[in-house]
Protein backbone atom coordinates (compact mmCIF):
# COMPACT_ATOMS: atom_id res chain seq x y z
CA UNK A 1 0.00 0.00 0.00
CA UNK A 2 2.89 2.33 0.80
CA UNK A 3 4.31 1.94 -2.72
CA UNK A 4 0.96 2.75 -4.36
CA UNK A 5 0.44 5.81 -2.18
CA UNK A 6 4.00 7.04 -2.77
CA UNK A 7 3.55 6.73 -6.53
CA UNK A 8 0.32 8.74 -6.43
CA UNK A 9 1.98 11.47 -4.35
CA UNK A 10 4.83 11.65 -6.88
CA UNK A 11 2.34 11.88 -9.78
CA UNK A 12 0.42 14.68 -8.05
CA UNK A 13 3.56 16.66 -7.25
CA UNK A 14 4.90 16.10 -10.76
CA UNK A 15 1.70 17.46 -12.28
CA UNK A 16 2.17 20.70 -10.33
CA UNK A 17 5.91 20.94 -10.99
CA UNK A 18 5.30 20.84 -14.74
CA UNK A 19 2.24 23.07 -14.53
CA UNK A 20 4.06 26.41 -14.68
CA UNK A 21 4.86 25.76 -18.34
CA UNK A 22 1.15 25.92 -19.11
CA UNK A 23 0.58 29.37 -17.58
CA UNK A 24 1.40 32.71 -19.13
CA UNK A 25 3.73 35.14 -17.38
CA UNK A 26 0.95 37.41 -16.14
CA UNK A 27 -1.12 34.49 -14.88
CA UNK A 28 1.85 33.10 -12.97
CA UNK A 29 2.55 36.47 -11.40
CA UNK A 30 -1.06 36.96 -10.34
CA UNK A 31 -1.28 33.46 -8.85
CA UNK A 32 2.02 33.95 -7.05
CA UNK A 33 0.79 37.29 -5.74
CA UNK A 34 -2.39 35.66 -4.45
CA UNK A 35 -0.42 32.96 -2.64
CA UNK A 36 1.55 35.50 -0.61
CA UNK A 37 -1.31 38.02 -0.34
CA UNK A 38 0.25 40.76 -2.46
CA UNK A 39 -2.62 41.30 -4.91
CA UNK A 40 -5.00 44.25 -4.74
CA UNK A 41 -8.49 43.35 -3.60
CA UNK A 42 -10.09 43.73 -7.05
CA UNK A 43 -7.62 41.26 -8.56
CA UNK A 44 -8.18 38.52 -6.00
CA UNK A 45 -11.71 37.50 -6.94
CA UNK A 46 -11.11 35.15 -9.84
CA UNK A 47 -7.36 34.52 -9.64
CA UNK A 48 -7.59 30.88 -8.53
CA UNK A 49 -10.27 29.63 -10.95
CA UNK A 50 -8.84 31.53 -13.92
CA UNK A 51 -5.35 30.16 -13.30
CA UNK A 52 -6.71 26.63 -13.08
CA UNK A 53 -8.77 27.06 -16.26
CA UNK A 54 -5.71 28.28 -18.17
CA UNK A 55 -3.74 25.33 -16.82
CA UNK A 56 -6.53 22.90 -17.77
CA UNK A 57 -6.95 24.31 -21.28
CA UNK A 58 -3.22 24.23 -21.98
CA UNK A 59 -2.80 20.71 -20.63
CA UNK A 60 -5.69 19.26 -22.63
CA UNK A 61 -5.47 21.72 -25.54
CA UNK A 62 -9.19 22.32 -25.46
CA UNK A 63 -11.19 23.94 -28.23
CA UNK A 64 -14.39 25.86 -27.69
CA UNK A 65 -17.56 24.72 -29.45
CA UNK A 66 -21.18 25.79 -29.15
CA UNK A 67 -23.76 23.08 -28.49
CA UNK A 68 -27.38 24.28 -28.40
CA UNK A 69 -26.16 27.71 -27.45
CA UNK A 70 -23.97 26.41 -24.62
CA UNK A 71 -20.22 26.90 -24.92
CA UNK A 72 -18.26 23.75 -24.21
CA UNK A 73 -14.52 23.19 -24.22
CA UNK A 74 -13.54 19.84 -25.72
CA UNK A 75 -10.19 18.30 -24.76
CA UNK A 76 -8.03 16.66 -27.38
CA UNK A 77 -8.74 12.96 -27.51
CA UNK A 78 -5.10 11.92 -27.22
CA UNK A 79 -4.59 14.04 -24.11
CA UNK A 80 -7.76 12.63 -22.59
CA UNK A 81 -6.63 9.06 -23.30
CA UNK A 82 -3.26 9.73 -21.67
CA UNK A 83 -4.89 11.20 -18.57
CA UNK A 84 -7.31 8.26 -18.41
CA UNK A 85 -4.45 5.80 -18.63
CA UNK A 86 -2.49 7.44 -15.83
CA UNK A 87 -5.59 7.73 -13.64
CA UNK A 88 -6.48 4.08 -14.28
CA UNK A 89 -3.00 2.93 -13.32
CA UNK A 90 -3.07 4.97 -10.11
CA UNK A 91 -6.55 3.74 -9.15
CA UNK A 92 -5.66 0.14 -10.02
CA UNK A 93 -2.56 0.28 -7.84
CA UNK A 94 -4.59 1.50 -4.88
CA UNK A 95 -7.16 -1.24 -5.49
CA UNK A 96 -4.50 -3.95 -5.75
CA UNK A 97 -2.75 -2.65 -2.64
CA UNK A 98 -6.03 -2.63 -0.73
CA UNK A 99 -6.63 -6.25 -1.73
CA UNK A 100 -3.13 -7.21 -0.63
CA UNK A 101 -2.04 -8.16 -4.15
CA UNK A 102 1.19 -6.17 -3.84
CA UNK A 103 2.14 -7.90 -0.60
CA UNK A 104 1.13 -11.52 -1.18
CA UNK A 105 0.71 -13.83 -4.11
CA UNK A 106 -2.80 -14.96 -5.04
CA UNK A 107 -3.91 -18.43 -4.09
CA UNK A 108 -3.09 -21.26 -6.47
CA UNK A 109 -6.71 -21.45 -7.58
CA UNK A 110 -6.86 -17.81 -8.68
CA UNK A 111 -6.72 -17.32 -12.43
CA UNK A 112 -4.84 -14.02 -12.51
CA UNK A 113 -4.72 -13.86 -16.31
CA UNK A 114 -8.49 -14.31 -16.57
CA UNK A 115 -9.15 -11.69 -13.91
CA UNK A 116 -6.80 -9.26 -15.64
CA UNK A 117 -8.46 -9.83 -19.00
CA UNK A 118 -12.01 -9.50 -17.70
CA UNK A 119 -11.54 -6.60 -15.32
CA UNK A 120 -8.63 -4.80 -16.96
CA UNK A 121 -9.87 -5.12 -20.51
CA UNK A 122 -13.43 -4.16 -19.65
CA UNK A 123 -12.32 -1.18 -17.58
CA UNK A 124 -10.00 0.21 -20.25
CA UNK A 125 -12.49 -0.31 -23.07
CA UNK A 126 -15.46 1.22 -21.27
CA UNK A 127 -13.77 3.93 -19.23
CA UNK A 128 -12.64 6.15 -22.09
CA UNK A 129 -16.01 7.70 -22.90
CA UNK A 130 -17.06 8.57 -19.33
CA UNK A 131 -13.58 9.93 -18.63
CA UNK A 132 -13.84 12.22 -21.64
CA UNK A 133 -17.36 13.33 -20.71
CA UNK A 134 -16.20 13.97 -17.14
CA UNK A 135 -13.45 16.24 -18.48
CA UNK A 136 -15.95 18.18 -20.60
CA UNK A 137 -18.36 18.45 -17.68
CA UNK A 138 -15.63 19.54 -15.26
CA UNK A 139 -14.38 22.20 -17.67
CA UNK A 140 -17.93 23.54 -18.02
CA UNK A 141 -18.33 23.69 -14.23
CA UNK A 142 -14.95 25.41 -13.88
CA UNK A 143 -16.18 28.14 -16.21
CA UNK A 144 -19.32 28.59 -14.13
CA UNK A 145 -17.25 28.60 -10.95
CA UNK A 146 -14.97 31.33 -12.31
CA UNK A 147 -18.00 33.46 -13.14
CA UNK A 148 -19.58 32.92 -9.72
CA UNK A 149 -19.15 35.49 -6.99
CA UNK A 150 -18.61 34.44 -3.42
CA UNK A 151 -16.98 31.35 -1.88
CA UNK A 152 -20.27 29.57 -1.19
CA UNK A 153 -21.33 29.78 -4.84
CA UNK A 154 -17.99 28.36 -5.93
CA UNK A 155 -18.15 25.55 -3.40
CA UNK A 156 -21.62 24.83 -4.71
CA UNK A 157 -20.26 24.45 -8.24
CA UNK A 158 -17.55 22.13 -6.94
CA UNK A 159 -20.26 19.97 -5.39
CA UNK A 160 -22.11 20.01 -8.73
CA UNK A 161 -18.92 18.78 -10.41
CA UNK A 162 -18.57 15.82 -8.04
CA UNK A 163 -22.25 14.84 -8.31
CA UNK A 164 -22.30 15.19 -12.10
CA UNK A 165 -19.08 13.20 -12.52
CA UNK A 166 -20.38 10.41 -10.29
CA UNK A 167 -23.68 10.35 -12.19
CA UNK A 168 -21.78 9.98 -15.48
CA UNK A 169 -19.65 7.19 -14.04
CA UNK A 170 -22.62 5.37 -12.51
CA UNK A 171 -24.54 5.45 -15.77
CA UNK A 172 -21.63 4.13 -17.80
CA UNK A 173 -20.73 1.47 -15.22
CA UNK A 174 -24.31 0.22 -15.35
CA UNK A 175 -24.36 0.29 -19.16
CA UNK A 176 -20.94 -1.34 -19.54
CA UNK A 177 -21.87 -4.13 -17.13
CA UNK A 178 -25.10 -4.73 -19.02
CA UNK A 179 -23.24 -4.90 -22.34
CA UNK A 180 -20.23 -6.90 -21.15
CA UNK A 181 -21.77 -9.60 -18.95
CA UNK A 182 -23.06 -11.70 -21.88
CA UNK A 183 -19.47 -11.76 -23.21
CA UNK A 184 -18.07 -13.51 -20.13
CA UNK A 185 -16.94 -17.00 -21.24
CA UNK A 186 -18.99 -19.93 -20.03
CA UNK A 187 -17.38 -21.41 -16.97
CA UNK A 188 -15.71 -18.11 -16.06
CA UNK A 189 -18.82 -16.53 -14.55
CA UNK A 190 -17.34 -16.97 -11.08
CA UNK A 191 -14.83 -14.22 -11.91
CA UNK A 192 -17.69 -11.69 -12.03
CA UNK A 193 -19.49 -13.14 -9.03
CA UNK A 194 -21.95 -14.99 -11.31
CA UNK A 195 -23.55 -11.72 -12.31
CA UNK A 196 -25.69 -11.72 -15.44
CA UNK A 197 -28.21 -9.37 -16.98
CA UNK A 198 -31.04 -10.97 -15.07
CA UNK A 199 -29.42 -10.32 -11.70
CA UNK A 200 -28.05 -6.86 -12.59
CA UNK A 201 -30.79 -4.76 -11.03
CA UNK A 202 -30.55 -1.08 -10.19
CA UNK A 203 -30.31 -1.91 -6.48
CA UNK A 204 -27.43 -4.32 -7.11
CA UNK A 205 -25.69 -1.70 -9.24
CA UNK A 206 -25.95 0.76 -6.36
CA UNK A 207 -24.43 -1.91 -4.10
CA UNK A 208 -21.56 -2.41 -6.55
CA UNK A 209 -21.03 1.35 -6.79
CA UNK A 210 -20.90 1.78 -3.01
CA UNK A 211 -18.50 -1.18 -2.81
CA UNK A 212 -16.27 0.57 -5.32
CA UNK A 213 -16.33 3.84 -3.40
CA UNK A 214 -15.32 2.03 -0.21
CA UNK A 215 -13.06 -0.56 -1.91
CA UNK A 216 -14.97 -3.27 -0.07
CA UNK A 217 -16.39 -6.70 -0.82
CA UNK A 218 -19.77 -7.17 0.89
CA UNK A 219 -20.45 -10.67 2.27
CA UNK A 220 -21.84 -13.03 -0.33
CA UNK A 221 -20.23 -11.19 -3.26
CA UNK A 222 -16.94 -11.32 -5.13
CA UNK A 223 -14.67 -8.49 -6.29
CA UNK A 224 -17.33 -5.77 -6.21
CA UNK A 225 -14.52 -3.49 -5.03
CA UNK A 226 -12.94 -3.49 -8.50
CA UNK A 227 -15.54 -0.94 -9.59
CA UNK A 228 -13.55 1.55 -7.51
CA UNK A 229 -10.89 1.60 -10.25
CA UNK A 230 -13.54 2.74 -12.72
CA UNK A 231 -15.04 5.30 -10.35
CA UNK A 232 -11.93 6.97 -8.99
CA UNK A 233 -10.13 7.19 -12.31
CA UNK A 234 -13.11 9.08 -13.75
CA UNK A 235 -13.06 11.50 -10.81
CA UNK A 236 -9.50 12.52 -11.68
CA UNK A 237 -10.44 16.10 -12.62
CA UNK A 238 -12.50 16.60 -9.47
CA UNK A 239 -9.62 15.41 -7.29
CA UNK A 240 -7.26 17.66 -9.24
CA UNK A 241 -9.41 20.72 -8.52
CA UNK A 242 -9.78 19.89 -4.83
CA UNK A 243 -6.04 19.30 -4.39
CA UNK A 244 -5.30 22.55 -6.21
CA UNK A 245 -7.64 24.57 -3.99
CA UNK A 246 -6.47 22.87 -0.79
CA UNK A 247 -2.83 23.47 -1.74
CA UNK A 248 -3.37 27.15 -2.48
CA UNK A 249 -5.16 27.67 0.82
CA UNK A 250 -2.40 25.80 2.66
CA UNK A 251 0.31 28.03 1.17
CA UNK A 252 -1.79 31.15 1.73
CA UNK A 253 -2.09 30.32 5.43
CA UNK A 254 1.52 29.16 5.78
CA UNK A 255 2.90 32.41 4.34
CA UNK A 256 1.64 34.18 7.46
CA UNK A 257 4.49 32.56 9.40
CA UNK A 258 7.34 35.00 10.09
CA UNK A 259 9.88 35.03 7.29
CA UNK A 260 8.04 32.53 5.07
CA UNK A 261 6.52 35.14 2.77
CA UNK A 262 9.94 36.56 1.97
CA UNK A 263 11.30 33.03 1.50
CA UNK A 264 8.54 32.19 -0.98
CA UNK A 265 9.01 35.47 -2.83
CA UNK A 266 12.79 35.56 -3.00
CA UNK A 267 14.13 32.02 -2.67
CA UNK A 268 11.24 30.10 -4.28
CA UNK A 269 10.40 32.85 -6.81
CA UNK A 270 6.71 32.28 -6.28
CA UNK A 271 5.78 34.94 -8.85
CA UNK A 272 7.63 32.99 -11.55
CA UNK A 273 6.87 29.43 -10.41
CA UNK A 274 3.66 29.43 -8.36
CA UNK A 275 2.63 25.89 -9.27
CA UNK A 276 6.09 24.59 -8.45
CA UNK A 277 5.69 26.14 -5.01
CA UNK A 278 2.30 24.45 -4.78
CA UNK A 279 3.87 21.07 -5.63
CA UNK A 280 5.13 20.54 -2.09
CA UNK A 281 1.78 21.57 -0.65
CA UNK A 282 -0.07 19.32 -3.11
CA UNK A 283 2.08 16.35 -2.07
CA UNK A 284 1.18 17.02 1.56
CA UNK A 285 -2.51 17.29 0.69
CA UNK A 286 -2.30 14.02 -1.27
CA UNK A 287 -0.64 12.27 1.68
CA UNK A 288 -3.40 13.46 4.01
CA UNK A 289 -6.09 12.39 1.52
CA UNK A 290 -4.56 8.92 1.17
CA UNK A 291 -4.35 8.41 4.93
CA UNK A 292 -8.01 9.29 5.49
CA UNK A 293 -9.59 6.05 4.14
CA UNK A 294 -7.81 3.73 6.64
CA UNK A 295 -8.77 6.10 9.45
CA UNK A 296 -12.40 6.35 8.34
CA UNK A 297 -12.87 2.67 7.45
CA UNK A 298 -13.72 1.61 11.04
CA UNK A 299 -16.62 4.09 10.93
CA UNK A 300 -18.21 2.30 7.98
CA UNK A 301 -20.81 -0.47 8.40
CA UNK A 302 -19.26 -3.84 9.10
CA UNK A 303 -20.02 -5.17 5.61
CA UNK A 304 -18.11 -2.24 4.06
CA UNK A 305 -14.88 -2.67 5.98
CA UNK A 306 -13.39 -5.71 4.27
CA UNK A 307 -12.38 -7.12 0.92
CA UNK A 308 -12.06 -10.73 -0.19
CA UNK A 309 -8.36 -10.13 -0.84
CA UNK A 310 -6.79 -12.22 -3.55
CA UNK A 311 -8.79 -15.28 -2.57
CA UNK A 312 -12.36 -16.01 -3.47
CA UNK A 313 -14.47 -19.10 -3.01
CA UNK A 314 -17.19 -19.37 -5.61
CA UNK A 315 -19.41 -21.21 -3.15
CA UNK A 316 -19.34 -18.24 -0.80
CA UNK A 317 -20.96 -16.06 -3.48
CA UNK A 318 -24.73 -15.95 -3.09
CA UNK A 319 -25.46 -15.63 -6.81
CA UNK A 320 -23.17 -18.55 -7.66
CA UNK A 321 -24.81 -20.81 -5.11
CA UNK A 322 -28.26 -19.92 -6.39
CA UNK A 323 -27.29 -20.25 -10.04
CA UNK A 324 -25.52 -23.58 -9.76
CA UNK A 325 -28.19 -24.99 -7.49
CA UNK A 326 -30.81 -24.20 -10.13
CA UNK A 327 -28.67 -25.73 -12.88
CA UNK A 328 -28.13 -28.87 -10.82
CA UNK A 329 -31.73 -29.31 -9.77
CA UNK A 330 -33.50 -27.99 -12.87
CA UNK A 331 -31.27 -28.40 -15.94
CA UNK A 332 -32.49 -26.89 -19.19
CA UNK A 333 -33.21 -29.16 -22.16
CA UNK A 334 -29.97 -30.40 -23.77
CA UNK A 335 -27.99 -28.96 -20.85
CA UNK A 336 -25.35 -31.19 -19.36
CA UNK A 337 -26.18 -31.80 -15.71
CA UNK A 338 -23.42 -30.53 -13.46
CA UNK A 339 -21.93 -32.92 -11.00
CA UNK A 340 -22.36 -32.13 -7.34
CA UNK A 341 -19.37 -29.86 -6.65
CA UNK A 342 -18.80 -31.64 -3.38
CA UNK A 343 -19.84 -30.81 0.11
CA UNK A 344 -23.19 -29.41 -0.96
CA UNK A 345 -26.41 -31.00 0.31
CA UNK A 346 -28.12 -31.42 -3.03
Amino acid sequence: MLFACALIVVLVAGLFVLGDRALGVERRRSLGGWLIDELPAEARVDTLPQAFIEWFDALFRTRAVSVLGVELHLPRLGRSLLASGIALIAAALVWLANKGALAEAPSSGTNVALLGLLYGGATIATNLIPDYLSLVESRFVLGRMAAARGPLARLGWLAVDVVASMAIVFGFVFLSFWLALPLVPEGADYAVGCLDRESLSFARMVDIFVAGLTFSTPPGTLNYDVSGVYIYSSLFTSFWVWIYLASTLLVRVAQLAPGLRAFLRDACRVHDYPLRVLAAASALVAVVALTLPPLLRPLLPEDRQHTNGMDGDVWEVDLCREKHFREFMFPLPNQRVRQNPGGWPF
Side-chain angles (χ1 to χ4, degrees), residues 18-153:
L18 299 176
D20 286 315
R21 300 178 182 180
L23 299 182
V25 175
E26 290 304 317
R27 187 67 67 191
R28 292 202 303 269
R29 293 190 65 82
S30 64
L31 179 57
W34 189 94
L35 291 175
I36 57 176
D37 197 18
E38 290 186 348
L39 283 184
E42 63 273 10
R44 298 175 186 173
V45 178
D46 60 355
T47 297
L48 292 186
Q50 289 296 347
F52 190 88
I53 286 174
E54 186 173 324
W55 185 13
F56 183 101
D57 288 345
L59 185 63
F60 289 102
R61 295 186 179 178
T62 62
R63 59 186 180 90
V65 298
S66 179
V67 179
L68 300 177
V70 178
E71 186 178 64
L72 299 177
H73 292 77
L74 304 182
R76 283 199 175 180
L77 183 59
R79 298 281 178 121
S80 175
L81 293 177
L82 178 60
S84 294
I86 295 174
L88 278 171
I89 291 172
L93 283 173
V94 173
W95 171 64
L96 288 170
N98 185 67
K99 289 183 78 70
L102 302 182
E104 60 177 291
S107 62
S108 57
T110 302
N111 191 332
V112 177
L114 177 62
L115 290 176
L117 179 62
L118 289 177
Y119 290 126
T123 300
I124 293 172
T126 59
N127 213 44
L128 303 180
I129 295 177
D131 279 4
Y132 188 84
L133 292 179
S134 292
L135 284 175
V136 175
E137 172 271 320
S138 293
R139 177 58 180 82
F140 174 79
V141 170
L142 286 169
R144 304 285 75 75
M145 186 176 70
R149 290 295 177 262
L152 290 181

Side-chain angles (χ1 to χ4, degrees), residues 22 32 47-48 81 94 140 175 178 199 233 274 277 279 282 314 324 334:
T47 297
L48 292 186
L81 293 177
V94 173
F140 174 79
L175 178 62
W178 190 83
S199 58
S233 63
V277 170
S282 69
V314 65
H324 294 307
N334 301 322

Side-chain angles (χ1 to χ4, degrees), residues 155-231:
L155 287 175
W157 278 112
L158 285 177
V160 168
D161 177 46
V162 173
V163 172
S165 294
M166 293 186 70
I168 291 171
V169 175
F170 181 86
F172 271 88
V173 170
F174 203 164
L175 178 62
S176 61
F177 270 51
W178 190 83
L179 292 174
L181 284 174
L183 304 179
V184 176
E186 185 178 358
D189 56 350
Y190 70 90
V192 293
C194 295
L195 278 169
D196 53 26
R197 284 185 175 178
E198 182 181 351
S199 58
L200 188 65
S201 63
F202 181 83
R204 190 177 298 278
M205 193 66 245
V206 171
D207 196 36
I208 293 172
F209 200 78
V210 173
L213 287 173
T214 56
F215 277 130
S216 63
T217 306
T221 67
L222 182 69
N223 292 334
Y224 278 14
D225 51 319
V226 74
S227 62
V229 177
Y230 201 112
I231 296 168

